[in-house]
Amino acid sequence: MIASHLLAYYFTELHHDHVQKVDKFLYHMRLSDENLMDVSKRFRREMDKGLGRDTNPTAAVKMLPTFVRSTPDGTETGDFLALDLGGTNFRVLLVRVSSNGKQKVEMENQIYAIPENIMRGSGTELFDHIAECLANFLEKLGIKDKKLPLGFTFSFPCQQTKLDESFLVSWTKGFKASGVEGRDVVGLLRKAIKKRGDFDIDIVAVINDTVGTMMTCGYDDHHCEIGLIVGESLSYICTHMLELVDGDEGRMCVNMEWGAFGDDGALDDIRTEFDREIDAGSLNPGKQLFEKMISGMYIGELVRLILVKMAKDGLLFQGHTTPDLLTTGHFQTSFVSAMENKKNNEGLVSAEQVLRGLGLDPSPEDCVATQRVCQIVSTRAAHLCAATLAAVLRQIRDNKAAERLRTTVGVDGSVYKNHPQFARRLNKMVRLLVPDCDVRFLRSEDGSGKGAAMVTAVAHRLAKQHAERQRILNTLRLSRDQLLEVKKRMEEEMNRGLAKKTHATATVKMLPTFVRSTPDGTERGDFLALDLGGTNFRVLLVRVRSGKRRSVEMHNKIYTIPQDITQGTGEELFDHIVHCIADFLEYMGMKGASLPLGFTFSFPCHQTRLDQGILIKWTKGFKASGCEGEDVATLLKDAIHRSEDFDLDVVAVVNDTVGTMMTCGYEDPQCEVGLIVGTGTNTCYMEEMSNVELVDGDEGRMCVNMEWGAFGDRGELDDLCTEFDRAVDDQSTYPGKQRYEKMISGMYLGEIVRNVLLDFTAKGLLFRGKLSERLKTRGIFETKFLSQIESDRLALRQVRSILQHLGLTSSTCDDSILVKEVCSVVSKRAAQLCGAGLSAVIDKIRLNRGLEKLSITVGVDGTLYKLHPHFATIMRETLRDLAPNCEVTLAQSEDGSGKGAALITAVACRLRDAGK
Ligand code: ADP
Ligand code: MG
């Protein structure tokens, strides 16, 4: 029959009839959109089952972890070796990846034969042979002396336990070498290479060919997170990146081994008699049922079985069959591709040739019917493939909580590439089933060769980047010796600050506070308190009751001090304060009242009396002019006089640390230390008068306000300071000052983190190297974000949304993990430094008193200390380690800077009244 004859026939009614005849016969094989949607849903359930720890053992789709956690980002470089075993040929490859300017991949590869006797011999022989081929290849390229990284594509079912460790479950594809099943194939290869001793290689990764496909496409398209192989002799596997279900962080590529879908009966209602026949005659009955419906290995055979049945039913070939038609495997899948050629008449010509080749004598009707059978079988394969792929896409979309998913599928395999209609049908059905995904299909070139090199290149890059990040983070990590050194230097500075001779040059000023005694419970009266020097400025009324029903009752109002006033003149600042007091008295209905006042003024002050404090220098961002060197009680009194509104009796100028200690001391007489870790950080404690050289008299004790935030200002911390500390210092209001505080307190920790993130991004180690304007903005990374990000209860996705909230939108899972690590390194260092300083204070108190063991309470205040999830714990551990002879209770003080100031005022009033 000639082509034109067939073509003419194609347009006749008769043609239509024959198509209908086949459609009717195979109606069970033609799946509707609803059928496919249903298959997709079932498959999604199978995936969940495979991913669940408890359900996995009985799941048909195994969802094997591959330990590949990242796709290429285009910055990979270097020379990599790859071995490809388990495809059509065994190959050795050298892949050169360069990223300078333009991404480029160059390959050299050599095919080696694996003789039949070696395939079925012993495992030792097989791996010796592989090592031999590798040696030959290296020799040929003259690179035998280089220890290159190697990726091993090993396309057999494996149980992988690490990126470079994989245990063969069972041989397939004609391999049968003994003593390999159940063994780690990387270990076997390493052993074979070592035995030779003539070259060395760094085996980095062992992968499956689907992973290779994904990674190869991922190099060209960074959205690629699915690899799909529709191959001739290869099993049908899809690999994709998933959030791991078992609580681990980040994503990992999962080798689905989806060919086993249906092995638990999930597809029984759509499998036909022909599918059952194929399965019954296969080497692995009951297994890989999905694969048997769609893979290239079975499509031709399915067509053959249908033709035989139709012939036997008298529907084709006038009821004749031939020995060829009756022989398994004689109808190849390539015939199907040929018969479905886009130009139908060419397809028909092929059909006739193929059928004649099988010894048949087909009529035009037979050719048309055969062509139709091919269409139905291959369309079903493409559509089933689309249904399962749709489930994967939906899963990825849900994992990302994205409305629309934009993703790329890397595809390889001869059916996809050679069948004229397969790709189009697959793409079209995927779009129909998941309309809210923008899917790009990218053909992978040599995924199993190049892919192994790509995985190796990525692993190599990740290892390099990891090392670089850790090198940087290590500068922020402190050893025990370093912490002991901090303790020692703090002790030295404390002694220098206390001694008259050295006080002037000491960084830790050890300021006498003239607070000599803690409350005894007999204090009573109404007091006003002011709290300046924290985040908020407050005015408080404190009612102290004595006797049996001791109590402290407080009322307070918060006022803001505008930025321009903190940076303006002293007069403006104090006028504003007085204005707030007047407002408060009116608010309390006490206008014109004259009460004793305690002034919590949390800046370093020289005191010669309790009711006087000469400001040494501003800290924590304040900079009002004309205050340094002045007595703040006088400045306040002057402002009160200017207002002529009311009168107050300023009884005490109090540091917030002292207030904190006093508040705790009211409840717990063992409390003799006050610590603040909030906007700033500082400590006070009860020192022996004999050591307080700045104040006359040797009797009893006095509370010393250490002003330890300035520790380090003579360079005592220079060897611990990082470039990030220097950057934060340079950008601060008082460069070179408050060095210890800048490493510890809430005002700076976020900034340190931001500077580390900036550096990482500039070095391409974070946010794909994209520096956003947001990240360059000072102050955006508030310290409260450290607390949020480091919270153990927070899932990675929430870290990401915090970053997004900060405008750092390009973040990936890996970025979130890294940001969290940076936060915890920075806050850990802060807590350890703080603990080291505190250990010096506590041990000094112990030695002052000549005690073996000291039991003491520290009153602590400050939002960073109170709200950060790990700060207190780490500080406590450090204390225990560095001051083992002290038993320290850390007590949170409630509002020390308010209540404490009133208590100090109350004690002073009690003493004053007693003196009267
Ligand atoms: P102050 O020390 O000024 O009296 P706070 O004790 O409230 O005031 O401390 C304020 C500091 O605490 C600010 O620097 C802020 O960055 C920090 N901060 C606020 N919220 C948190 C949080 N949730 N975790 C850690 N630090 C925080
Ligand atoms: Mg405070």
Side-chain angles (χ1 to χ4, degrees), residues 533-536 656 676-680 746-747 782-784 787 861-864 867-868:
T535 312
N536 297 305
D656 54 355
I676 300 268
V677 194
T679 306
M747 190 155 177
E782 290 172 52
T783 301
K784 70 173 183 212
S787 294
D861 202 351
T863 305
L864 174 57
L867 295 189
H868 188 280

Side-chain angles (χ1 to χ4, degrees), residues 76-91:
E76 291 76 13
T77 55
D79 288 2
F80 304 95
L81 288 167
L83 288 179
D84 178 14
L85 183 71
T88 320
N89 296 303
F90 168 57
R91 295 182 304 158

Side-chain angles (χ1 to χ4, degrees), residues 709-726:
F711 180 49
D713 291 5
R714 272 195 317 134
E716 308 96 292
L717 293 169
D718 282 4
D719 52 344
L720 306 184
C721 273
T722 63
E723 54 180 302
F724 312 111
D725 297 303
R726 285 188 282 276

Side-chain angles (χ1 to χ4, degrees), residues 411-431:
V411 206
D412 205 344
S414 58
V415 173
Y416 186 88
K417 285 181 170 172
N418 299 336
H419 187 285
Q421 317 279 354
F422 192 95
R424 191 181 53 80
R425 289 179 191 146
L426 172 70
N427 302 1
K428 209 170 142 193
M429 186 49 74
V430 165
R431 295 208 166 94

Side-chain angles (χ1 to χ4, degrees), residues 279-332:
D279 180 45
S282 69
L283 291 170
N284 51 352
K287 296 260 171 349
Q288 300 291 105
L289 296 183
F290 185 62
E291 176 177 330
K292 286 169 186 164
M293 296 170 86
I294 56 178
S295 135
M297 193 161 166
Y298 301 98
I299 287 178
E301 184 64 8
L302 272 171
V303 170
R304 188 187 69 80
L305 291 176
I306 294 166
L307 296 183
V308 169
K309 179 76 164 69
M310 287 182 82
K312 284 185 173 165
D313 287 1
L315 294 167
L316 281 178
F317 317 128
Q318 295 175 308
H320 289 304
T321 58
T322 62
D324 261 335
L325 184 65
L326 290 173
T327 308
T328 304
H330 274 204
F331 199 103
Q332 293 166 19

